[in-house]
Amino acid sequence: MIELYEFPLSGNSHKVRLMLGLLGLEYRSHKLDMGSGEHKSPQHLQRNPFGQVPVLKDDDIVIRDSQAILVYLARAYGNGSNGENPNKENHWYPNNPVKAAQISAWLSTAANE
């Protein structure tokens, strides 16, 4: 099962929750207590050495940074084939280099604004 380490009020965590919902993926949420410093605990620093949220764990795969997580989810689950057919056109993150670059540009804008 997919696991999401998050903080409920985080906009970046919200983006990931939204994408998980749009893809219809079940996941387990681990809400970190940022006030007590849980995001800086040794356990969480193993998941993300920067001590940030969100972090997504999908079996043995651990991905930090909301933009990277969105790309991963789109590529792995966006064409409905669990990433098994990488040549099939992907609705969420297309193979076309121009379209993929445009999506990356918007992801960068969202990360920096």
Side-chain angles (χ1 to χ4, degrees):
M1 166 156 294
I2 294 173
E3 298 179 67
L4 178 63
Y5 296 84
E6 62 168 320
F7 179 64
L9 299 178
S10 160
N12 288 325
S13 294
H14 174 75
K15 288 186 244 184
V16 174
R17 287 192 307 269
L18 180 61
M19 186 66 168
L20 287 163
L22 289 169
L23 292 171
L25 298 172
E26 292 185 21
Y27 68 97
R28 181 175 174 206
S29 173
H30 300 278
K31 293 174 178 67
L32 301 184
D33 182 354
M34 306 290 266
S36 71
E38 188 177 8
H39 61 298
K40 300 293 185 183
S41 69
Q43 296 85 1
H44 189 67
L45 291 173
Q46 286 182 339
R47 291 184 286 268
N48 182 342
F50 297 111
Q52 299 169 334
V53 293
V55 174
L56 184 118
K57 185 174 184 294
D58 189 6
D59 293 323
D60 293 332
I61 299 164
V62 178
I63 302 171
R64 62 172 176 81
D65 183 78
S66 60
Q67 278 44 258
I69 294 168
L70 293 175
V71 170
Y72 169 77
L73 290 172
R75 297 298 292 175
Y77 297 100
N79 61 7
S81 66
N82 194 20
E84 295 169 3
N85 185 358
N87 295 321
K88 180 179 176 184
E89 186 61 32
N90 187 301
H91 174 74
W92 292 99
Y93 204 88
N95 295 328
N96 177 293
V98 173
K99 290 180 182 179
Q102 291 169 336
I103 291 170
S104 293
W106 279 110
L107 287 172
S108 294
T109 299
N112 294 314
E113 294 301 320

